[in-house]
Amino acid sequence: MQPTSISLPSHVARPSSTKTSSVTVTSIPLPDTEPNLCSFCSQIDFSLLRYPTTTDLRSLNDGNPASQDLSPFKRNPYARVYPTWTLGLLSRIHKSSASCNLCHAICTVLDQQPQVRATLTEMGVQDPLVLGTLAFCGRLSAPDGTSWFEHGDKHGGLKERDCFFLRRLGLLFRPADKDEDVNEPGMATKIESWYSTMDIFQTMNTAIPRGFAEDKKGVLMGDEENPETVWFAGRKRPEMIDIGLIKQWLNEFLENHKDVCGISEEVDEDDDPELVEQMRRLGKPIPLFRLIDVHKKCIVTKYNLYDVDMSALKFASLSYVWGVTPQKLTLLIENEYELQRPNSLVGKVSKTISDAIHLTEKLGLQYLWVDALCIIQNSDDDKVMQLGNIANVYAHSLFTIMAAAGDDSNFGLPGIHTPRDLVQEVVPVIAPSETNPGMSLITALSPTHQSHEHPTRKTIWASRGWTLQERALSRRAIVIMKSHVLWSCSRSHYSEESCCETATLGSLAWFGLQESDPILNSSERTWYTEDVPEEQVWYKFQRLVKDYSNRNLKFQGDALDAFSAVVEQMRRMTGENFLWGMPSGRFELCLCWEPYRRGLKRREELSTLEMTSFKRHVPFPTWSWLGWSGAICLKVQDRELEVGLNPKVVCFVLRNHPLRVFSVRRISVDNDPGRANSWAMPNINDSKYSVTLDDIYDNLPSMTPEVLLDIPDDQLIFFWTESARFKLSELKVQTPLQQENPLQVKEYTKYYREILDDDGQVVGKTHPCDPTAQDIGVDESGDGKCEFIRIANNYLPFCDPEKLAMQVRRGTGKYDRDVRYRINLAEIKKEAWKQVYEKRVLVALG
């Protein structure tokens, strides 16, 4: 492969005689003139943006203490964690852009991100005050098996240091106060933001190779043998994607950490034999599997892969947005055999799929999986079979190509056949001297609204429901964005715009990548919960549910199917069975799920695919979070119990053929009678919580055997609980403290209703509710009250004891008048509840 030429500004280089491997490296000198900065920009302490060199990291790895004089090792000399400087009004920056390089680069970035000005204009801010802030962007840690040290006190003692933090320059925008002097440069005295765009500028690497050598590992952008190489800093990316770089990322995985983030069994043979057998039962055979042969340009079918590890096929998969524009070609019953002929796909598939075929072939793989061409789109039977296998597809593919650019399948993969046109500007900010090599900044290619936000978050791809499970289950991902490429696996996150390809010198966890990337199969720990494997898994699942529930589905009836692969993988990882997206072993805790920030809308559509033994399109139960549209917070972690949430119901579920009702906790026994004697399955049928068919007939008269026999499996749950009735107030509004910021008001305003006793006293309040909802739960009894049923006690620290109650309404039909349906949750004071609750009742919740 010939080296790819990367054009660079003439003012960014410094001659060097540094010798590297076979890769031709052009050292880029920093400018030999003073940086052109205005009086505002020159106030910024750019030394805080210094990144470590090879010399720095080797010294730390040799056991020497970190330098106290140089960033990122020296302590922050400022009072604020994120030092911030005023850059004046935006109009001033425009005027200064003719003479100040940084002002010019800021204007260029804002031109490339028109949504920033559009949002500010919508908020009524025409000429905002601009602040420059040096925010943390990543956590730098020692290589595995190495400890780093720093000076611990004035007497020279040393102490171990877990990590150091790197920074990037971001911008904050707000209206200037009336009495504020906007013409005075220096540190900002009022740190407040109406809008922000972070990670705009990064420190630039000073040695940039002209190409990426496919035969040399480790020389990608920085040379580990060069003591002056600046690590984790920015670099210029070429107009076209250099396949050699992606190959080196892939080779790094194959050679150095395949065991960490490769295909691995969830259960080891040395584990408990009963557990091993249980996990084997959870596996599903694969009767038929289709792939695109990228050499022959046609579809091939693999049959009877019952005993074959899918990873042995070494295939790639594609995650992309279908969009509203029809696909050029999809697999149908009528063209299945035609598309198996060689070259039958040439010139006929959508551009994104065509580019993915080309990329897969260039990376040395023979097979690619794409849903549009590997699932028969007009066959529900084939969809059911293949969708049940989605978890295997993404978990076992060697990598997933994620087409995160564009809004439909005809957009293509930028940089494959279409040049990328986003311009990177280089800004000298510190002049070189005999003791200081100087510094230049380079514009980042994917600034974000918030500092810990994933670069893909605002893309159409990241807003679609189906793409979440594709990302969550992929062990390795090549993310093709509009302006650059990302690599992600459980061990490493690389970026085409930054020099990160070293594991021997140090490890960098980008906050916008590692900490926000929803990889379910990753062994990498998250820092937002306990370092306990089980809690780590459930925290990831909780995050995935919140993310997924806030995404868009073209067809609302796909809600379960588009999340089914995540559920299937969780089932394999934890041994749990799931009921409508809720784990059976934690079901009562999950029943306490709540809206996240704003009210929800009921999902009225039926399932797209036929379900249950009845082979029907079924409704989504109101008790499941899948039955609602909008962001939700699932209560699933043990820490919920530790802080005082105590579920007080035990749920039973109804199934047919034969008609039966059994504890949700024992659903695995119903699914697999061979587990009937498992130690993990407590028998509670004889307890006070048990529910039998006779209990249903005696307490819910409309639910006769004939009615129950016509109800699909898993639609109704039953439990004994307390019931009480309260009045609701008119709609109340809770606004954020920063009420003058329209964006904050829009984002954080909540609507709720107060709960009133018979004297009109406030005894509780509902969770956020939809202000447009017509049905607020007042029934036809005429007393103006709503029914609440207790599902948990809530004993939060420093709070009065409360009952967590579900607001419900009864059905109005002939056959469901004894069925209750969820409307919302509410917290009600314990004493108020004790005064009015009626009696212990049997609830049928649909």
Side-chain angles (χ1 to χ4, degrees), residues 708-759:
L708 296 181
L709 283 168
D710 194 47
I711 296 176
D713 293 350
D714 304 338
Q715 282 287 304
L716 292 182
I717 59 173
F718 299 85
F719 52 86
W720 293 97
T721 189
E722 298 171 358
S723 170
R725 300 174 62 78
F726 294 92
K727 291 183 178 180
L728 291 180
S729 72
E730 296 297 319
L731 204 63
K732 303 291 182 179
V733 182
Q734 179 180 324
T735 56
L737 296 176
Q738 197 177 354
Q739 295 188 29
E740 65 274 13
N741 183 343
L743 198 63
Q744 291 280 322
V745 171
K746 180 180 179 181
E747 181 72 17
Y748 294 102
T749 294
K750 298 179 182 179
Y751 297 89
Y752 66 97
R753 296 179 187 275
E754 292 176 338
I755 299 171
L756 311 175
D757 63 15
D758 290 340
D759 298 326

Side-chain angles (χ1 to χ4, degrees), residues 546-834:
K546 185 166 77 172
D547 188 349
Y548 176 75
S549 61
N550 201 34
R551 292 189 176 213
N552 302 321
L553 288 169
K554 184 176 181 181
F555 303 105
Q556 292 297 313
D558 289 344
L560 178 59
D561 298 325
F563 197 69
S564 61
V566 172
V567 169
E568 175 64 19
Q569 189 64 13
M570 284 294 298
R571 188 176 70 95
R572 296 175 183 178
M573 294 173 69
T574 65
E576 289 272 11
N577 280 265
F578 283 73
L579 202 61
W580 288 98
M582 295 159 62
S584 60
R586 298 166 180 253
F587 189 82
E588 289 79 11
L589 178 61
C590 291
L591 203 62
C592 302
W593 62 263
E594 60 187 36
Y596 180 70
R597 289 188 180 171
R598 54 175 57 92
L600 309 174
K601 293 184 181 294
R602 177 78 177 102
R603 185 169 274 133
E604 302 287 354
E605 293 81 358
L606 300 181
S607 63
T608 300
L609 297 178
E610 294 177 343
M611 297 177 61
T612 77
S613 57
F614 287 9
K615 298 295 182 183
R616 288 184 191 169
H617 302 282
V618 300
F620 293 86
T622 64
W623 46 261
S624 167
W625 60 269
L626 284 166
W628 299 81
S629 178
I632 71 104
C633 182
L634 187 67
K635 305 291 186 180
V636 69
Q637 291 185 265
D638 288 342
R639 66 178 182 181
E640 303 290 351
L641 304 174
E642 294 167 3
V643 298
L645 184 61
N646 182 18
K648 301 301 291 183
V649 296
V650 176
C651 296
F652 288 69
V653 64
L654 177 75
R655 283 186 176 176
N656 267 295
H657 302 113
L659 184 64
R660 61 202 186 278
V661 61
F662 55 90
S663 169
V664 171
R665 299 182 192 179
R666 294 179 61 84
I667 196 170
S668 56
V669 175
D670 194 72
N671 293 342
D672 182 3
R675 296 189 64 205
N677 296 322
S678 171
W679 60 270
M681 297 294 114
N683 189 345
I684 58 174
N685 288 334
D686 296 329
S687 75
K688 65 177 182 179
Y689 297 105
S690 67
V691 177
T692 65
L693 287 173
D694 286 338
D695 289 328
I696 296 173
Y697 301 147
D698 292 342
N699 292 272
L700 306 170
S702 68
M703 310 200 75
T704 63
E706 292 74 22
V707 170
L708 296 181
L709 283 168
D710 194 47
I711 296 176
D713 293 350
D714 304 338
Q715 282 287 304
L716 292 182
I717 59 173
F718 299 85
F719 52 86
W720 293 97
T721 189
E722 298 171 358
S723 170
R725 300 174 62 78
F726 294 92
K727 291 183 178 180
L728 291 180
S729 72
E730 296 297 319
L731 204 63
K732 303 291 182 179
V733 182
Q734 179 180 324
T735 56
L737 296 176
Q738 197 177 354
Q739 295 188 29
E740 65 274 13
N741 183 343
L743 198 63
Q744 291 280 322
V745 171
K746 180 180 179 181
E747 181 72 17
Y748 294 102
T749 294
K750 298 179 182 179
Y751 297 89
Y752 66 97
R753 296 179 187 275
E754 292 176 338
I755 299 171
L756 311 175
D757 63 15
D758 290 340
D759 298 326
Q761 298 296 311
V762 177
V763 295
K765 72 175 185 177
T766 68
H767 286 190
C769 55
D770 177 15
T772 65
Q774 300 298 316
D775 181 6
I776 64 169
V778 177
D779 58 31
E780 299 177 351
S781 62
D783 60 1
K785 294 182 179 180
C786 301
E787 183 182 11
F788 294 83
I789 54 175
R790 183 186 69 163
I791 57 173
N793 289 338
N794 207 1
Y795 298 114
L796 295 176
F798 311 111
C799 296
D800 293 332
E802 295 175 325
K803 301 292 184 180
L804 183 63
M806 183 182 294
Q807 182 189 352
V808 296
R809 66 166 178 82
R810 291 177 180 254
T812 57
K814 179 179 179 181
Y815 300 111
D816 74 339
R817 64 176 181 268
D818 286 322
V819 178
R820 292 168 170 88
Y821 299 94
R822 170 176 169 146
I823 290 180
N824 203 347
L825 286 189
E827 275 102 13
I828 302 174
K829 293 179 181 179
K830 178 181 177 180
E831 292 304 317
W833 181 273
K834 289 174 64 176

Side-chain angles (χ1 to χ4, degrees), residues 357-608:
I357 290 173
H358 176 82
L359 178 58
T360 301
E361 186 174 22
K362 289 297 182 182
L363 291 174
L365 269 65
Q366 183 176 358
Y367 299 115
L368 172 68
W369 188 91
V370 181
D371 56 0
L373 296 171
C374 297
I375 300 175
I376 299 177
Q377 299 301 312
N378 59 351
S379 168
D380 281 356
D381 288 340
D382 193 67
K383 284 183 178 180
V384 169
M385 177 174 61
Q386 298 299 330
L387 289 176
N389 190 40
I390 289 290
N392 280 327
V393 171
Y394 288 101
H396 287 276
S397 62
L398 189 63
F399 56 81
T400 300
I401 300 169
M402 300 188 173
D407 54 6
D408 61 33
S409 61
N410 293 305
F411 189 84
L413 302 179
I416 295 296
H417 291 109
T418 305
R420 299 169 292 184
D421 56 3
L422 192 65
V423 177
Q424 288 176 279
E425 291 211 11
V426 177
V427 183
V429 292
I430 298 178
S433 67
E434 293 183 359
T435 58
N436 188 336
M439 181 189 295
S440 285
L441 304 183
I442 185 170
T443 49
L445 290 166
S446 54
T448 56
H449 176 43
Q450 298 173 348
S451 58
H452 291 196
E453 189 174 272
H454 197 276
T456 62
R457 185 170 180 266
K458 297 296 183 181
T459 63
I460 299 295
W461 174 82
S463 71
R464 295 293 186 258
W466 282 95
T467 60
L468 178 126
Q469 65 180 7
E470 296 162 6
R471 177 66 198 98
L473 299 176
S474 297
R475 296 176 184 266
R476 292 154 296 280
I478 300 171
V479 185
I480 312 292
M481 300 187 64
K482 190 174 182 179
S483 303
H484 67 124
V485 180
L486 303 172
W487 165 273
S488 176
C489 64
S490 66
R491 181 67 177 268
S492 302
H493 283 69
Y494 298 142
S495 170
E496 195 182 12
E497 68 168 351
S498 300
C499 175
C500 306
E501 297 82 7
T502 179
T504 59
L505 294 178
S507 175
L508 183 67
W510 295 105
F511 294 144
L513 295 178
Q514 268 104 319
E515 298 296 350
S516 61
D517 211 0
I519 309 175
L520 186 58
N521 292 320
S522 171
S523 59
E524 184 99 356
R525 72 154 293 187
T526 174
W527 293 84
Y528 293 105
T529 193
E530 294 179 76
D531 191 14
V532 177
E534 187 176 32
E535 282 294 277
Q536 289 278 315
V537 170
W538 288 116
Y539 173 77
K540 291 176 184 178
F541 181 68
Q542 182 187 56
R543 280 186 55 195
L544 288 170
V545 168
K546 185 166 77 172
D547 188 349
Y548 176 75
S549 61
N550 201 34
R551 292 189 176 213
N552 302 321
L553 288 169
K554 184 176 181 181
F555 303 105
Q556 292 297 313
D558 289 344
L560 178 59
D561 298 325
F563 197 69
S564 61
V566 172
V567 169
E568 175 64 19
Q569 189 64 13
M570 284 294 298
R571 188 176 70 95
R572 296 175 183 178
M573 294 173 69
T574 65
E576 289 272 11
N577 280 265
F578 283 73
L579 202 61
W580 288 98
M582 295 159 62
S584 60
R586 298 166 180 253
F587 189 82
E588 289 79 11
L589 178 61
C590 291
L591 203 62
C592 302
W593 62 263
E594 60 187 36
Y596 180 70
R597 289 188 180 171
R598 54 175 57 92
L600 309 174
K601 293 184 181 294
R602 177 78 177 102
R603 185 169 274 133
E604 302 287 354
E605 293 81 358
L606 300 181
S607 63
T608 300

